[in-house]
Coordinates of all heavy atoms in Angstrom, one line a residue:
M1447 N 24.3 6.0 26.5 CA 23.1 5.3 26.3 C 23.5 3.8 26.3 O 24.5 3.4 25.7 CB 22.5 5.7 24.9 CG 21.4 4.8 24.6 SD 20.5 5.4 23.1 CE 21.7 5.3 21.8
D1448 N 22.6 3.0 26.9 CA 22.8 1.5 26.9 C 22.6 1.0 25.5 O 21.7 1.3 24.8 CB 21.7 1.0 27.9 CG 21.9 -0.5 28.1 OD1 22.7 -1.2 27.4 OD2 21.2 -1.1 28.9
A1449 N 23.6 0.2 25.1 CA 23.5 -0.4 23.7 C 22.3 -1.3 23.5 O 22.0 -1.6 22.4 CB 24.8 -1.2 23.5
R1450 N 21.7 -1.8 24.7 CA 20.6 -2.7 24.5 C 19.2 -1.9 24.7 O 18.2 -2.5 24.9 CB 20.6 -3.7 25.6 CG 21.9 -4.6 25.5 CD 21.9 -5.5 26.7 NE 22.0 -4.7 27.9 CZ 22.0 -5.2 29.1 NH1 21.8 -6.4 29.3 NH2 22.1 -4.4 30.2
A1451 N 19.2 -0.6 24.5 CA 18.0 0.2 24.7 C 17.0 -0.3 23.7 O 17.2 -0.7 22.6 CB 18.3 1.6 24.5
V1452 N 15.7 -0.3 24.2 CA 14.6 -0.6 23.3 C 13.8 0.7 23.1 O 13.5 1.4 24.0 CB 13.6 -1.6 24.0 CG1 12.4 -1.9 23.2 CG2 14.4 -2.9 24.3
W1453 N 13.5 1.0 21.8 CA 12.8 2.2 21.5 C 11.5 1.8 20.9 O 11.3 0.7 20.3 CB 13.6 3.0 20.4 CG 14.9 3.5 20.9 CD1 16.1 2.8 21.0 CD2 15.2 4.8 21.4 NE1 17.1 3.6 21.6 CE2 16.5 4.8 21.8 CE3 14.4 5.9 21.6 CZ2 17.1 5.9 22.4 CZ3 15.0 7.0 22.1 CH2 16.3 7.0 22.5
V1454 N 10.5 2.6 21.0 CA 9.1 2.4 20.5 C 8.8 3.5 19.6 O 8.8 4.7 20.0 CB 8.1 2.2 21.7 CG1 6.7 2.0 21.1 CG2 8.5 1.1 22.6
A1455 N 8.3 3.2 18.4 CA 8.0 4.2 17.4 C 6.5 4.3 17.2 O 5.8 3.3 17.4 CB 8.6 3.9 16.0
K1456 N 6.0 5.5 16.9 CA 4.7 5.7 16.6 C 4.4 5.1 15.2 O 5.3 4.9 14.4 CB 4.4 7.3 16.5 CG 3.0 7.7 16.3 CD 2.9 9.2 16.5 CE 1.5 9.7 16.2 NZ 1.4 11.1 16.3
D1457 N 3.1 4.8 14.9 CA 2.8 4.1 13.7 C 3.3 4.8 12.4 O 3.6 4.1 11.4 CB 1.3 3.7 13.6 CG 0.4 4.9 13.6 OD1 0.8 6.0 13.8 OD2 -0.8 4.7 13.5
D1458 N 3.3 6.1 12.4 CA 3.8 6.8 11.2 C 5.3 7.2 11.3 O 5.8 7.8 10.4 CB 2.9 8.1 11.0 CG 3.1 9.1 12.1 OD1 3.9 8.9 13.0 OD2 2.4 10.2 12.0
G1459 N 5.9 6.8 12.4 CA 7.3 7.1 12.6 C 7.7 8.5 13.0 O 8.9 8.8 13.2
S1460 N 6.7 9.3 13.3 CA 7.0 10.7 13.6 C 7.5 10.9 15.1 O 8.1 11.9 15.3 CB 5.7 11.6 13.4 OG 4.7 11.1 14.3
D1461 N 7.3 9.9 15.9 CA 7.8 10.0 17.3 C 8.4 8.6 17.6 O 7.9 7.6 17.3 CB 6.7 10.3 18.3 CG 6.2 11.7 18.3 OD1 7.0 12.6 18.3 OD2 5.0 11.9 18.3
I1462 N 9.5 8.7 18.4 CA 10.2 7.5 18.9 C 10.6 7.8 20.3 O 11.2 8.8 20.6 CB 11.5 7.2 18.0 CG1 11.1 7.0 16.6 CG2 12.2 5.9 18.6 CD1 12.3 6.8 15.7
I1463 N 10.2 6.9 21.2 CA 10.5 7.0 22.6 C 11.2 5.8 23.2 O 11.1 4.7 22.6 CB 9.2 7.3 23.4 CG1 8.2 6.2 23.2 CG2 8.6 8.7 23.1 CD1 6.9 6.3 24.1
R1464 N 12.0 6.0 24.2 CA 12.6 4.9 24.9 C 11.6 4.1 25.7 O 10.8 4.7 26.4 CB 13.8 5.3 25.8 CG 15.0 5.7 25.1 CD 16.1 6.1 26.1 NE 16.4 5.1 27.0 CZ 17.7 4.6 27.1 NH1 18.7 5.1 26.4 NH2 17.9 3.6 28.0
A1465 N 11.6 2.8 25.6 CA 10.7 2.0 26.3 C 10.8 2.2 27.8 O 9.8 2.1 28.5 CB 10.9 0.5 25.9
D1466 N 12.0 2.4 28.3 CA 12.1 2.6 29.7 C 11.6 3.9 30.2 O 11.5 4.2 31.4 CB 13.5 2.4 30.2 CG 14.5 3.3 29.7 OD1 14.2 4.3 28.9 OD2 15.7 3.2 30.0
A1467 N 11.2 4.8 29.3 CA 10.5 6.1 29.7 C 9.0 6.0 29.8 O 8.3 6.9 30.2 CB 10.9 7.2 28.7
I1468 N 8.5 4.8 29.4 CA 7.0 4.6 29.4 C 6.6 4.1 30.8 O 7.1 3.2 31.4 CB 6.6 3.5 28.4 CG1 7.0 4.0 27.0 CG2 5.1 3.2 28.5 CD1 6.8 2.9 25.9
A1469 N 5.6 4.9 31.4 CA 5.1 4.5 32.7 C 3.9 3.7 32.6 O 3.5 2.9 33.5 CB 4.8 5.8 33.5
G1470 N 3.1 3.8 31.5 CA 1.9 3.0 31.3 C 1.5 3.0 29.8 O 1.9 3.9 29.1
I1471 N 0.8 2.0 29.4 CA 0.3 1.9 28.1 C -1.2 1.6 28.2 O -1.6 0.7 28.9 CB 1.0 0.8 27.3 CG1 2.5 1.1 27.2 CG2 0.4 0.7 25.9 CD1 3.3 0.1 26.5
G1472 N -2.0 2.2 27.3 CA -3.4 2.0 27.3 C -4.0 1.8 25.9 O -3.4 2.3 25.0
R1473 N -5.2 1.2 25.9 CA -5.9 1.0 24.6 C -7.3 1.5 24.9 O -8.0 1.0 25.8 CB -6.0 -0.4 24.2 CG -6.8 -0.7 22.9 CD -6.9 -2.2 22.6 NE -7.6 -2.4 21.4 CZ -8.9 -2.4 21.2 NH1 -9.7 -2.2 22.3 NH2 -9.5 -2.6 20.0
D1474 N -7.7 2.5 24.2 CA -9.1 3.1 24.4 C -10.1 2.3 23.6 O -9.8 1.4 22.8 CB -9.1 4.6 24.2 CG -8.9 5.0 22.7 OD1 -9.1 4.2 21.8 OD2 -8.7 6.2 22.5
Y1475 N -11.4 2.7 23.7 CA -12.5 2.0 23.0 C -12.4 2.2 21.5 O -13.1 1.4 20.8 CB -13.8 2.5 23.6 CG -14.0 2.1 25.0 CD1 -13.9 3.0 26.0 CD2 -14.2 0.8 25.3 CE1 -14.1 2.6 27.4 CE2 -14.4 0.4 26.7 CZ -14.3 1.3 27.7 OH -14.4 0.9 29.0
N1476 N -11.7 3.1 21.0 CA -11.5 3.3 19.6 C -10.3 2.5 19.0 O -10.1 2.5 17.8 CB -11.3 4.8 19.2 CG -12.6 5.6 19.6 OD1 -13.7 5.2 19.3 ND2 -12.4 6.8 20.1
G1477 N -9.6 1.9 19.9 CA -8.4 1.1 19.5 C -7.1 1.9 19.5 O -6.1 1.3 19.1
N1478 N -7.1 3.1 19.9 CA -5.9 3.9 19.9 C -5.0 3.4 21.0 O -5.5 3.0 22.1 CB -6.2 5.4 20.2 CG -7.1 6.0 19.2 OD1 -7.0 5.7 18.0 ND2 -8.0 6.9 19.7
I1479 N -3.7 3.3 20.8 CA -2.8 2.9 21.8 C -1.9 4.1 22.2 O -1.3 4.8 21.3 CB -1.8 1.8 21.2 CG1 -2.6 0.6 20.6 CG2 -0.8 1.4 22.3 CD1 -3.4 -0.2 21.6
T1480 N -1.9 4.4 23.5 CA -1.3 5.6 24.0 C -0.3 5.2 25.1 O -0.6 4.3 26.0 CB -2.3 6.6 24.6 OG1 -3.2 6.9 23.6 CG2 -1.6 7.8 25.1
A1481 N 0.9 5.7 25.1 CA 1.9 5.5 26.1 C 2.0 6.7 27.0 O 2.2 7.9 26.4 CB 3.3 5.2 25.4
R1482 N 1.9 6.6 28.3 CA 2.1 7.7 29.2 C 3.5 7.6 29.7 O 4.1 6.6 30.0 CB 1.1 7.5 30.4 CG -0.3 7.7 30.0 CD -1.3 7.5 31.2 NE -1.2 6.2 31.8 CZ -1.7 5.1 31.3 NH1 -2.2 5.1 30.1 NH2 -1.5 3.9 32.0
L1483 N 4.2 8.8 29.7 CA 5.6 8.9 29.9 C 5.9 9.1 31.4 O 5.2 9.9 32.0 CB 6.2 9.9 29.1 CG 6.0 9.8 27.6 CD1 6.7 10.9 26.8 CD2 6.5 8.4 27.1
A1484 N 6.9 8.5 31.9 CA 7.3 8.7 33.3 C 7.9 10.0 33.5 O 8.7 10.5 32.6 CB 8.3 7.6 33.7
G1485 N 7.6 10.7 34.6 CA 8.2 12.0 34.9 C 7.9 13.1 33.9 O 8.5 14.1 33.9
G1486 N 6.9 12.9 33.1 CA 6.6 13.9 32.1 C 5.4 14.8 32.4 O 4.8 15.3 31.5
E1487 N 5.0 14.9 33.7 CA 3.9 15.8 34.0 C 2.6 15.4 33.3 O 1.9 16.2 32.8 CB 4.2 17.2 33.8 CG 5.5 17.7 34.4 CD 5.3 18.3 35.8 OE1 4.2 18.7 36.1 OE2 6.2 18.2 36.6
G1488 N 2.4 14.1 33.1 CA 1.2 13.6 32.4 C 1.4 13.6 30.9 O 0.4 13.4 30.2
S1489 N 2.6 13.7 30.4 CA 2.8 13.6 28.9 C 2.5 12.2 28.4 O 2.6 11.2 29.1 CB 4.3 13.9 28.6 OG 4.6 15.2 29.0
A1490 N 1.9 12.2 27.2 CA 1.6 11.0 26.6 C 1.9 11.0 25.1 O 1.9 12.1 24.5 CB 0.1 10.7 26.8
V1491 N 2.1 9.9 24.5 CA 2.3 9.8 23.0 C 1.4 8.7 22.5 O 1.3 7.6 23.0 CB 3.8 9.3 22.7 CG1 4.0 9.1 21.2 CG2 4.8 10.3 23.2
T1492 N 0.5 9.1 21.5 CA -0.4 8.2 20.9 C 0.4 7.4 19.8 O 1.0 8.0 18.9 CB -1.6 8.9 20.3 OG1 -2.2 9.6 21.3 CG2 -2.5 7.9 19.6
L1493 N 0.6 6.1 20.0 CA 1.4 5.3 19.2 C 0.6 4.8 18.0 O 1.2 4.6 16.9 CB 2.0 4.1 20.0 CG 2.9 4.5 21.1 CD1 3.2 3.3 22.0 CD2 4.1 5.2 20.6
V1494 N -0.7 4.5 18.1 CA -1.5 3.9 17.0 C -2.8 4.6 17.0 O -3.5 4.7 18.1 CB -1.7 2.4 17.3 CG1 -2.6 1.8 16.2 CG2 -0.4 1.7 17.3
V1495 N -3.3 5.0 15.8 CA -4.6 5.5 15.6 C -5.1 4.8 14.4 O -4.8 5.1 13.3 CB -4.6 7.0 15.4 CG1 -6.1 7.5 15.1 CG2 -4.0 7.8 16.5
P1496 N -5.9 3.7 14.6 CA -6.5 3.0 13.5 C -7.4 3.8 12.6 O -8.1 4.7 13.2 CB -7.3 1.8 14.1 CG -6.9 1.8 15.5 CD -6.4 3.2 15.9
T1497 N -7.4 3.6 11.3 CA -8.3 4.3 10.5 C -9.7 3.7 10.6 O -9.9 2.5 10.9 CB -7.9 4.3 9.0 OG1 -7.8 2.9 8.6 CG2 -6.5 4.9 8.8
P1498 N -10.8 4.5 10.4 CA -12.1 4.0 10.5 C -12.4 2.9 9.6 O -13.2 2.0 9.9 CB -13.0 5.2 10.2 CG -12.2 6.4 10.5 CD -10.8 6.0 10.2
D1499 N -11.8 2.9 8.4 CA -12.1 1.8 7.4 C -11.1 0.7 7.5 O -11.2 -0.3 6.7 CB -12.2 2.4 6.0 CG -10.9 3.1 5.6 OD1 -10.1 3.5 6.5 OD2 -10.6 3.2 4.4
G1500 N -10.2 0.7 8.4 CA -9.2 -0.3 8.5 C -9.5 -1.3 9.7 O -10.4 -1.0 10.4
P1501 N -8.6 -2.3 9.8 CA -8.9 -3.2 10.9 C -8.6 -2.6 12.3 O -7.7 -1.7 12.4 CB -7.9 -4.3 10.7 CG -6.8 -3.7 9.8 CD -7.5 -2.7 9.1
P1502 N -9.4 -2.9 13.3 CA -9.1 -2.4 14.7 C -7.8 -3.1 15.3 O -7.4 -4.1 14.8 CB -10.3 -2.8 15.4 CG -10.8 -4.0 14.8 CD -10.5 -3.8 13.3
T1503 N -7.3 -2.4 16.2 CA -6.2 -3.0 17.0 C -6.7 -4.2 17.8 O -7.9 -4.1 18.2 CB -5.4 -2.0 17.9 OG1 -6.4 -1.5 18.8 CG2 -4.7 -1.0 17.1
P1504 N -5.9 -5.3 18.0 CA -6.4 -6.4 18.9 C -6.7 -5.8 20.3 O -6.1 -4.9 20.7 CB -5.2 -7.3 18.9 CG -4.4 -7.0 17.6 CD -4.6 -5.5 17.4
D1505 N -7.6 -6.5 21.0 CA -7.9 -6.1 22.3 C -6.7 -6.1 23.3 O -6.7 -5.3 24.2 CB -9.0 -7.1 22.9 CG -10.4 -6.9 22.3 OD1 -10.6 -5.9 21.6 OD2 -11.2 -7.8 22.4
D1506 N -5.7 -6.9 23.0 CA -4.6 -7.0 23.9 C -3.3 -6.4 23.3 O -2.2 -6.6 23.7 CB -4.2 -8.5 24.3 CG -3.8 -9.3 23.1 OD1 -4.0 -8.9 21.9 OD2 -3.1 -10.3 23.3
F1507 N -3.5 -5.5 22.3 CA -2.4 -4.9 21.6 C -1.5 -4.1 22.5 O -0.2 -4.2 22.3 CB -2.9 -4.0 20.4 CG -1.9 -3.8 19.3 CD1 -1.3 -4.8 18.7 CD2 -1.7 -2.5 18.8 CE1 -0.4 -4.7 17.7 CE2 -0.8 -2.3 17.8 CZ -0.2 -3.4 17.2
H1508 N -2.0 -3.5 23.5 CA -1.1 -2.7 24.4 C -0.3 -3.7 25.3 O 0.9 -3.5 25.5 CB -2.0 -1.8 25.3 CG -3.1 -2.4 26.1 ND1 -4.0 -3.2 25.5 CD2 -3.3 -2.4 27.4 CE1 -4.9 -3.6 26.4 NE2 -4.5 -3.2 27.6
R1509 N -0.9 -4.8 25.6 CA -0.1 -5.8 26.4 C 0.9 -6.5 25.5 O 2.0 -6.9 26.0 CB -1.1 -6.9 27.0 CG -2.0 -6.3 28.1 CD -2.8 -7.3 28.8 NE -3.7 -8.1 28.0 CZ -5.0 -7.8 27.8 NH1 -5.5 -6.7 28.3 NH2 -5.7 -8.5 27.0
Q1510 N 0.6 -6.7 24.2 CA 1.6 -7.2 23.3 C 2.9 -6.3 23.3 O 4.0 -6.9 23.3 CB 1.1 -7.3 21.9 CG 0.0 -8.4 21.7 CD -0.5 -8.4 20.3 OE1 0.1 -8.0 19.4 NE2 -1.8 -8.8 20.2
L1511 N 2.7 -5.0 23.3 CA 3.9 -4.1 23.4 C 4.7 -4.3 24.6 O 5.9 -4.4 24.6 CB 3.4 -2.7 23.2 CG 4.5 -1.6 23.3 CD1 5.7 -1.9 22.3 CD2 4.0 -0.2 23.2
I1512 N 4.0 -4.4 25.8 CA 4.7 -4.6 27.0 C 5.6 -5.9 26.9 O 6.7 -6.0 27.3 CB 3.8 -4.7 28.2 CG1 3.1 -3.3 28.4 CG2 4.5 -5.1 29.5 CD1 1.9 -3.3 29.3
K1513 N 5.0 -7.0 26.4 CA 5.7 -8.3 26.3 C 6.9 -8.2 25.4 O 8.0 -8.6 25.8 CB 4.7 -9.3 25.8 CG 5.3 -10.7 25.7 CD 4.3 -11.7 25.2 CE 5.1 -13.1 25.2 NZ 4.5 -14.0 24.3
I1514 N 6.7 -7.6 24.3 CA 7.9 -7.6 23.3 C 9.0 -6.7 23.9 O 10.2 -7.0 23.7 CB 7.4 -7.2 21.9 CG1 8.5 -7.5 20.9 CG2 7.1 -5.7 21.8 CD1 8.1 -7.5 19.5
A1515 N 8.6 -5.5 24.5 CA 9.6 -4.6 25.1 C 10.4 -5.3 26.2 O 11.6 -5.2 26.3 CB 9.0 -3.4 25.6
A1516 N 9.7 -6.1 27.0 CA 10.4 -6.8 28.1 C 11.3 -7.9 27.5 O 12.4 -8.1 28.0 CB 9.3 -7.5 29.0
E1517 N 10.9 -8.6 26.5 CA 11.7 -9.6 25.9 C 13.0 -9.0 25.2 O 14.1 -9.5 25.3 CB 10.9 -10.4 24.8 CG 9.9 -11.3 25.4 CD 8.9 -11.9 24.4 OE1 9.0 -11.5 23.2 OE2 8.1 -12.7 24.8
L1518 N 12.8 -7.9 24.6 CA 13.9 -7.2 23.9 C 14.9 -6.6 24.9 O 16.0 -6.3 24.5 CB 13.4 -6.2 22.9 CG 12.7 -6.8 21.7 CD1 12.1 -5.7 20.8 CD2 13.7 -7.6 20.8
S1519 N 14.5 -6.3 26.1 CA 15.4 -5.6 27.0 C 16.6 -6.5 27.4 O 17.5 -6.0 27.9 CB 14.6 -5.2 28.3 OG 14.2 -6.3 29.0
H1520 N 16.5 -7.8 27.1 CA 17.6 -8.7 27.3 C 18.4 -9.0 26.1 O 19.3 -9.8 26.2 CB 17.0 -10.1 27.9 CG 16.2 -9.9 29.1 ND1 16.7 -9.5 30.3 CD2 14.9 -10.0 29.3 CE1 15.8 -9.4 31.2 NE2 14.6 -9.7 30.7
A1521 N 18.1 -8.3 25.0 CA 18.9 -8.5 23.8 C 20.2 -7.9 23.9 O 20.5 -7.0 24.7 CB 18.1 -8.0 22.6
A1522 N 21.1 -8.3 23.0 CA 22.5 -7.8 23.0 C 22.6 -6.4 22.3 O 23.7 -5.8 22.4 CB 23.4 -8.8 22.3
E1523 N 21.6 -6.0 21.5 CA 21.8 -4.8 20.8 C 20.5 -3.9 20.9 O 19.4 -4.5 21.3 CB 22.1 -5.0 19.3 CG 21.0 -5.8 18.6 CD 21.3 -6.1 17.1 OE1 22.5 -5.9 16.7 OE2 20.4 -6.6 16.5
A1524 N 20.6 -2.7 20.6 CA 19.5 -1.8 20.6 C 18.5 -2.2 19.5 O 18.9 -2.7 18.5 CB 19.9 -0.3 20.4
S1525 N 17.2 -2.0 19.8 CA 16.2 -2.3 18.8 C 15.0 -1.3 18.9 O 14.9 -0.6 19.8 CB 15.6 -3.8 19.1 OG 15.1 -3.9 20.3
I1526 N 14.3 -1.3 17.8 CA 13.1 -0.4 17.7 C 11.9 -1.3 17.5 O 11.9 -2.2 16.7 CB 13.3 0.6 16.7 CG1 12.2 1.7 16.7 CG2 13.5 0.0 15.3 CD1 12.5 2.9 16.0
V1527 N 10.8 -1.0 18.2 CA 9.5 -1.7 18.0 C 8.6 -0.7 17.4 O 8.5 0.4 17.8 CB 9.0 -2.2 19.4 CG1 7.7 -2.9 19.2 CG2 10.0 -3.1 20.1
R1528 N 7.8 -1.2 16.4 CA 6.9 -0.3 15.8 C 5.6 -1.0 15.4 O 5.7 -2.2 15.0 CB 7.5 0.5 14.6 CG 7.9 -0.4 13.5 CD 8.7 0.5 12.4 NE 9.1 -0.4 11.4 CZ 8.5 -0.7 10.3 NH1 7.3 -0.2 10.1 NH2 9.0 -1.4 9.3
P1529 N 4.5 -0.4 15.4 CA 3.3 -1.0 15.0 C 3.1 -0.9 13.5 O 3.4 0.1 12.9 CB 2.2 -0.2 15.7 CG 2.8 1.2 15.8 CD 4.2 0.9 16.0
V1530 N 2.6 -2.0 12.9 CA 2.4 -2.0 11.4 C 1.0 -2.7 11.2 O 0.6 -3.5 12.0 CB 3.4 -2.7 10.6 CG1 4.8 -2.0 10.7 CG2 3.6 -4.2 11.0
C1531 N 0.4 -2.3 10.1 CA -0.9 -2.9 9.8 C -0.9 -3.3 8.3 O -0.5 -2.5 7.5 CB -2.0 -2.0 10.1 SG -3.7 -2.7 9.8
D1532 N -1.3 -4.5 8.0 CA -1.5 -4.9 6.6 C -2.8 -5.7 6.6 O -3.3 -6.2 7.6 CB -0.3 -5.6 6.0 CG -0.1 -7.0 6.7 OD1 -1.0 -7.7 7.0 OD2 1.1 -7.3 6.9
E1533 N -3.4 -5.8 5.4 CA -4.7 -6.5 5.2 C -4.7 -7.9 5.6 O -5.6 -8.4 6.2 CB -5.1 -6.3 3.8 CG -5.5 -4.9 3.4 CD -6.0 -4.8 1.9 OE1 -6.5 -5.8 1.4 OE2 -5.8 -3.7 1.4
K1534 N -3.6 -8.6 5.4 CA -3.5 -10.0 5.7 C -3.4 -10.3 7.2 O -4.0 -11.2 7.7 CB -2.3 -10.7 4.9 CG -2.2 -12.1 5.1 CD -1.1 -12.7 4.2 CE -1.0 -14.2 4.4 NZ 0.1 -14.8 3.6
H1535 N -2.5 -9.6 7.9 CA -2.2 -9.9 9.3 C -2.8 -8.9 10.3 O -2.8 -9.1 11.5 CB -0.7 -9.9 9.5 CG 0.0 -10.9 8.7 ND1 0.7 -10.6 7.5 CD2 0.1 -12.3 8.8 CE1 1.2 -11.7 7.0 NE2 0.8 -12.8 7.8
G1536 N -3.4 -7.8 9.8 CA -3.9 -6.8 10.7 C -2.8 -6.1 11.4 O -1.7 -6.0 10.9
W1537 N -3.1 -5.6 12.6 CA -2.1 -4.9 13.4 C -1.1 -5.8 14.1 O -1.6 -6.8 14.7 CB -2.8 -4.0 14.5 CG -3.3 -2.7 13.9 CD1 -4.6 -2.5 13.6 CD2 -2.6 -1.5 13.6 NE1 -4.8 -1.3 13.0 CE2 -3.6 -0.6 13.0 CE3 -1.3 -1.1 13.7 CZ2 -3.2 0.6 12.6 CZ3 -1.0 0.1 13.2 CH2 -1.9 1.0 12.7
Q1538 N 0.1 -5.5 14.1 CA 1.1 -6.3 14.8 C 2.3 -5.4 15.1 O 2.5 -4.4 14.5 CB 1.6 -7.5 14.0 CG 2.2 -7.2 12.7 CD 2.5 -8.5 11.9 OE1 2.6 -9.5 12.4 NE2 2.6 -8.3 10.6
W1539 N 3.0 -5.8 16.2 CA 4.3 -5.1 16.6 C 5.4 -5.8 15.9 O 5.5 -7.0 15.9 CB 4.5 -5.1 18.1 CG 3.5 -4.3 18.8 CD1 2.4 -4.8 19.5 CD2 3.4 -2.9 19.0 NE1 1.7 -3.8 20.1 CE2 2.2 -2.6 19.8 CE3 4.2 -1.8 18.5 CZ2 1.9 -1.3 20.1 CZ3 3.8 -0.6 18.9 CH2 2.7 -0.3 19.7
I1540 N 6.3 -5.1 15.2 CA 7.5 -5.7 14.7 C 8.7 -5.0 15.3 O 8.6 -3.9 15.8 CB 7.6 -5.6 13.1 CG1 7.6 -4.1 12.7 CG2 6.4 -6.3 12.5 CD1 8.0 -3.9 11.3
N1541 N 9.8 -5.8 15.4 CA 11.0 -5.2 15.9 C 12.1 -5.3 14.9 O 12.1 -6.3 14.1 CB 11.4 -5.8 17.3 CG 11.8 -7.2 17.2 OD1 12.6 -7.6 16.3 ND2 11.2 -8.1 18.0
E1542 N 13.1 -4.4 15.0 CA 14.2 -4.4 14.1 C 15.4 -3.8 14.8 O 15.2 -3.0 15.7 CB 13.9 -3.7 12.8 CG 13.3 -2.4 13.0 CD 12.5 -1.9 11.7 OE1 12.0 -2.6 11.0 OE2 12.6 -0.6 11.6
P1543 N 16.6 -4.2 14.5 CA 17.8 -3.6 15.1 C 17.9 -2.1 14.7 O 17.4 -1.7 13.7 CB 18.9 -4.4 14.6 CG 18.4 -5.2 13.4 CD 17.0 -5.2 13.5
M1544 N 18.5 -1.4 15.6 CA 18.7 0.1 15.4 C 19.8 0.2 14.4 O 20.7 -0.5 14.3 CB 19.0 0.8 16.6 CG 17.9 1.0 17.6 SD 16.6 2.2 17.0 CE 17.4 3.7 17.3

């Protein structure tokens, strides 16, 4: 495994996938963020499911993930990106070393 691998976690941490295994990312009208996996016969992982009473994901939240994964692919160490939501900042992607 490449020491600089970027991993993406589901909002509850139950699934973690390598960013380079992602073929596409989408945001539906409910604010769910889903990653379609390359070579997985249509496999997909839903990364974010906002609660009805919580803040919605930003309109460009899926593009934010692409940007941060691309930036981290040049880092010297492996990292994990995960979505978090709090009342003050809403939804955001955070990264941390593995």
